[in-house]
Amino acid sequence: ITVLVVVLVVVVGGIAYFAVKRNNNSTTTTTTPAATSPSAAVAAASLAASVNLRLGDLPTGWVRAPATGQIPSPPVAPVPAQAQANQALAGCLGVSYQTVAGLFDNATLPGQTGAARSLTYQSGSNPNVLMYSLATVLGSTAQVQALEVPFTNPNFATCFGQYQSSLAAAAAPGATAQVQAVTLSAPAGVTAYGYLTTLTIPNQGSDVIGEAFLLGGRIETLLAPSTNGPSVPSTDFNPAFDAVAARMAAAVNR
């Protein structure tokens, strides 16, 4: 037993010696993390926010709208009906489901790297006149240019009218939708497509939903005014559109 104890002590001592020696011979290098630039998503979201609608773009009297739950809005179609309408519109226009969902259903666009939505603003003279914008940044200008395909399709007005009608009927039985194209003039470097959809809802009256799609550089922006029946006031929409379009034109190379 005594011999075994002595041998064990020698072995343990040898292991400890080599362990200490190895640790003493190794060199530990402490590296200070290099400063990293903002992620692509953060930078893209910042770029999107920089072109979005601002209160200063609107005439005097406009204010920030209250919480979303207090803002009047038309009924929304159930999710399965929305998905079915998206698929039908994609087939009608010959584009991908993701393109339709991204442009018209607030989903992610193909190639999207970041997005930002403005606050919703409300007219001081009529609290049912609202406006907001949603800007999306894509990875390349080519991907933004590809988004023009559905709008330049000669059947777009018909396809989009059917799309809006199906959503209206799914949201409220008996509801109808009529779509009207609006000509918009944008600065160099920006292309714009405008549409007004009038929703007629039984026992509720009408809602007018405006959609101005602006495409330029790597940015796609939706400027969306709405009312509880009257036409969208041009005195309110025009300065807002001009301001957003000008900021987009200035950002086409970013």
Side-chain angles (χ1 to χ4, degrees):
I1 293 174
T2 301
V3 171
L4 289 176
V5 170
V6 171
V7 171
L8 181 61
V9 170
V10 171
V11 172
V12 172
I15 294 173
Y17 168 78
F18 285 109
V20 171
K21 178 176 175 52
R22 186 180 63 183
N23 288 339
N24 287 341
N25 288 340
S26 65
T27 302
T28 302
T29 303
T30 302
T31 304
T32 303
T36 56
S37 60
S39 68
V42 172
S46 177
L47 176 57
S50 72
V51 304
N52 263 333
L53 180 66
R54 306 169 186 174
L55 183 58
D57 300 334
L58 295 158
T60 302
W62 278 71
V63 296
R64 178 178 175 178
T68 303
Q70 301 174 19
I71 296 177
S73 60
V76 178
V79 173
Q82 178 72 64
Q84 185 176 1
N86 290 348
Q87 189 64 57
L89 182 58
C92 191
L93 296 175
V95 297
S96 69
Y97 180 95
Q98 188 179 2
T99 296
V100 166
L103 285 171
F104 309 113
D105 191 24
N106 294 329
T108 301
L109 281 166
Q112 178 175 324
T113 59
R117 176 173 172 151
S118 75
L119 296 173
T120 299
Y121 301 105
Q122 185 178 61
S123 170
S125 58
N126 183 351
N128 290 307
V129 177
L130 306 165
M131 202 178 310
Y132 75 90
S133 72
L134 172 63
T136 304
V137 176
L138 276 61
S140 69
T141 57
Q143 289 171 324
V144 170
Q145 291 168 355
L147 297 180
E148 294 187 33
V149 172
F151 299 113
T152 56
N153 187 309
N155 296 321
F156 179 82
T158 300
C159 296
F160 193 55
Q162 294 170 347
Y163 174 78
Q164 295 287 46
S165 295
S166 66
L167 290 178
T176 60
Q178 290 186 332
V179 175
Q180 175 187 356
V182 178
T183 300
L184 299 173
S185 180
V190 178
T191 304
Y193 303 91
Y195 306 92
L196 285 174
T197 300
T198 301
L199 302 175
T200 303
I201 306 167
N203 304 318
Q204 293 187 37
S206 299
D207 290 298
V208 176
I209 310 299
E211 294 170 291
F213 299 91
L214 297 89
L215 309 172
R218 296 190 299 121
I219 308 171
E220 181 274 331
T221 301
L222 167 66
L223 179 61
S226 63
T227 78
N228 62 338
S231 298
V232 175
S234 59
T235 52
D236 296 327
F237 175 77
N238 289 348
F241 174 83
D242 290 343
V244 172
R247 288 194 290 270
M248 283 192 60
V252 291
N253 295 319
R254 294 176 60 188

